[in-house]
Amino acid sequence: MTFPTQSRAVIIGGGIVGCSTAYHLAKIGWEVTLLERHKLTSGSTFHAAGLVGQLRTSANITQLLGESVKLYGRLEAETGLATGWKQNGGLRLACNAERWTEVKRQATTARSFGLEMHLLSPKEAQKLWPLMQVEDVVGAAFLPTDGQASPSDITQSLAKGARMNGARIFEDVDVTGIVVERGRAIAVETKQGRISCEAVIVCAGQWTRALCAGIGVNVPLVSVEHQYMITEAIPGVTATLPTLRDPDRLTYYKEEVGGLVMGGYEPNPIPWATAGIPENFNFSLLNSNWDHFTPIMELAIGRVPALQTAGVKTLLNGPESFTPDGNFILGEAPEVAGLFVGAGFNAFGIASGGGAGKVLAEWVAGGEAPYDLWPVDIRRFGRNHGDVNWVRTRTLEAYAKHYTTAWPAEEFSSGRPLRRSALYDRLRAAGACFGEKMGFERPNWFAAPGEDPRDIYTFACPNWFNAVAREHNATRDAVALFDQSSFAKFYLIGRDAEAALSWICANNVARPPGRLVYTQMLNARGGIECDLTVARVAQEKYYITTGTGFATHDADWITRNLPQGLDAHLVDVTSAYAMLALMGPRARDVLRQLTRDDISNTGFPFGGARRINVAGAPVTALRVTYVGELGWELHIPTEFAATVYDALMAEGAAFGIVNAGYRAIETLRLEKFYRAWGADIGPDHTPLEAGLGWAVKLRSDTPFLGRAALEAQRLAPLRKRLCAFTVDDPDVILLGRETIYRDDSRVGWLSSGGFGHTIGKPIGFGYVRNPDGVDDEYLVSGRYTLEVATTRVDCRLHLAPLYDPGMAKVKA
Ligand SMILES: Cc1cc2nc3c(=O)[nH]c(=O)nc-3n(C[C@H](O)[C@H](O)[C@H](O)COP(=O)(O)OP(=O)(O)OC[C@H]3O[C@@H](n4cnc5c(N)ncnc54)[C@H](O)[C@@H]3O)c2cc1C
């Protein structure tokens, strides 16, 4: 095969992910060249244990893993090359009450996502896995469609399938550089020559970060050692044994040639290659580290006593790339067009390889993700992820938490504090318990004097419940101050700013200066890519604010979709402004003490956006709310923030002002039926389905991205709609992902869950789905129940906010 000088796509890396991407992209019909610096599988793939589990906390990532299972089940028949795929099912144990609650919640999540999962008694679990002792087991879950595979065989099989569809695969070709011209990847360099291309797809495992850093693309992953041992044959270990995960003992198992593979996630992981990956590290392993593995081994012997006497073939130590949040990294890099990444697989690259390669290929070919892949999207990272030491610190914490209980609202603790608002010290002194997003410390709730500002995690009612209730009620009845300085903030500046934004915004932003608009930005399918506010602060200047976590994503969406040739430039001003949200019926009374500007309802109506002076500071005030009360977002040049904060707190004292945090924002917005992007709305949901049709300019003639899809959707009945649900029993805890039943048929799951302190009830949002349409009549005529941790509870459906300031504030 002659070495090409041109190929439509070049894939770098011949592990399972590169080969899967080549397989799928070639099937789509693209011309594909895959370059592997050594031999296929010689990175992390050859030494993987090969467990394939599917259930994740996101429906779409669970679907992606399900795609792997479907592919592995049919690949051998297609290519003639064995894959070692065995669908023996997967067992998961619970050894204490909290873990059992977690497993039951996972079983409900599985039901929500249509994945089969059964709860078993310890004895039933033991029947499936006779070698284990179950004295300490409270219960178990069994996923019959999970399985195991031979990682190298699957990869070779995928490579063959790729070749059968026309892909060219070259081994012993090291990509030495990626060529970028005017912000676009256009070629790769190798010793054998340059290959020009339309898309470069980097599937280079743990080498990806260094390779991409060379062209200014940040892929925050680091290498960590991971060990498992392989035993000689053990009597009683059969070829049909399910895989086993025993998270309370930090271990996993699978059968291999009559023996066991047993590995674990130790609480003190060892980073690898901190000074760079050595040259020629291929088909290579690290030295076995028995000292480090002994605590895992002891835990395992407690479960499987036969391990005590089993012969050990090897203790395998292989490095793998891990990421700061435990999820892999997919998508087109925000820094360079045409440069795609599929890396950082956190020791589940075999499980995800089939599905990840499929969606990555579709992403390349289609120009956008085929469905919402936000949990793994490369744009979920931000400026805090640029420092490799910080990334390593956080990644080691994420690794250590692999098998610990995933608590509701759990925060990471490492690498903090990193980004601090100008008010951090004040808020800390006021009793703030901080959470962190994008490296930014944000108050979650405030402890009363004598209370400890510390989260105590539980699946039951948490220790911050009363504090959040206090802040919630103060916002409804008096006034509260929220430090939301971490918000991402941009200016869009230029002669054509209005024309540019009019194309990418679904709502009408062609308003006079001084007006603010809440809008979505849609993809061509009509799905919601961004959900933000746009304030026109001057004729040629818009001020855009969006959620902390969406800084990279939204900036990328906007810049990519600005029509060519227009004079409109996006500038990130996140760090230039602090933001204090002053919210509550007494907000005007407080603000009036500190400004001479007209802030009356006529002088500063809802949707206004104006420069006012507050306590001597020049402030951009936006009359908007996410909590459902009178209020202003005060965007304050950072150096004035402390002065404004002090003045608001001092003047607000007479009106009952309190500090309030993000957990109160959550309970408040749930009562108002305000949607959250990434949970209730996203690329797979249109504004019509989400109940946001009122914020779309379909009645005007203005063309906008996504318009055609919405017009088409309007012609047929909607097949899903976002609804709110309340449960009368206040002790039911809704966290999201609970299954929604209408007249005993499964129709969806909760995208958000929480508690409304004004209405005194648990609240959830979720899409109700029906292929024949979901009009109001259909929605309100059903009898609804929610499945919560496998138990059904009655609930009521609502199509309108559960609370309005005009309503009598009667606790139900
Ligand atoms: C001990 C251990 C156990 C594991 N067990 C499991 C398991 O049970 N289940 C599971 O799902 N996952 C498991 N994994 C994880 C799994 O091995 C990885 O997630 C997966 O192999 C990652 O595949 P990849 O294609 O992303 O990377 P890799 O397999 O590392 O492939 C990357 C390839 O890129 C090539 N490359 C790098 N730079 C260049 C360049 N400049 N030019 C050309 N080529 C380049 C490399 O040579 C390499 O072959 C385990 C991992 C370890 C370490």
Side-chain angles (χ1 to χ4, degrees), residues 76 129 146 358 446 456-457 461 465 682:
E76 182 171 345
W129 230 91
D146 278 0
K358 181 170 191 287
F446 287 82
I456 302 171
Y457 296 123
C461 182
F465 185 83

Side-chain angles (χ1 to χ4, degrees), residues 554-725:
D554 288 8
D556 179 67
W557 182 263
I558 293 168
T559 44
R560 266 177 209 274
N561 289 288
L562 288 175
Q564 295 266 311
L566 292 190
D567 181 46
H569 310 275
L570 192 76
V571 185
D572 185 340
V573 290
T574 299
S575 300
Y577 296 101
M579 198 278 260
L580 286 171
L582 180 71
M583 295 287 153
R586 310 306 300 273
R588 182 176 287 117
D589 297 328
V590 177
L591 195 56
R592 196 172 269 146
Q593 312 302 315
L594 295 165
T595 184
R596 294 173 63 89
D597 291 274
D598 182 2
I599 55 162
S600 66
N601 201 37
T602 39
F604 203 144
F606 189 78
R610 271 218 339 259
R611 172 67 62 83
I612 60 173
N613 288 303
V614 179
V619 168
T620 303
L622 310 181
R623 175 94 190 272
V624 64
T625 181
Y626 192 51
V627 297
E629 298 295 337
L630 169 71
W632 284 264
E633 285 184 1
L634 304 172
H635 294 252
I636 311 159
T638 306
E639 72 274 25
F640 291 99
T643 302
V644 175
Y645 172 84
D646 289 347
L648 287 169
M649 290 306 284
E651 293 297 338
F655 302 96
I657 199 167
V658 301
N659 284 299
Y662 273 82
R663 297 212 176 121
I665 294 176
E666 182 66 10
T667 62
L668 290 156
R669 71 106 187 163
L670 285 173
E671 283 183 341
K672 279 294 290 181
F673 204 179
Y674 289 148
R675 289 82 171 146
W677 195 88
D680 315 310
I681 52 178
D684 295 344
H685 311 300
T686 71
L688 305 181
E689 295 161 341
L692 294 170
W694 58 270
V696 181
K697 56 189 174 209
L698 276 178
R699 260 178 275 163
S700 78
D701 296 334
T702 317
F704 64 91
L705 183 53
R707 177 171 189 131
L710 294 192
E711 279 174 347
Q713 190 174 48
R714 268 204 312 192
L715 301 176
L718 291 172
R719 288 201 280 267
K720 65 175 179 193
R721 269 177 63 192
L722 188 70
C723 303
F725 298 88

Side-chain angles (χ1 to χ4, degrees), residues 733-754:
I733 294 181
L734 300 181
L735 300 172
R737 299 184 297 280
E738 291 81 0
T739 320
I740 307 168
Y741 291 89
R742 180 185 181 277
D743 297 341
D744 286 330
S745 300
R746 185 164 58 88
V747 291
W749 63 90
L750 295 189
S751 48
S752 284

Side-chain angles (χ1 to χ4, degrees), residues 13 17 36-37 44-45 47-51 174-175 320 347-351:
V17 178
E36 163 55 48
R37 68 144 57 116
S44 289
T45 296
H47 56 61
L51 284 79
D174 191 5
V175 173
E320 155 76 335
F348 66 107
I350 308 307

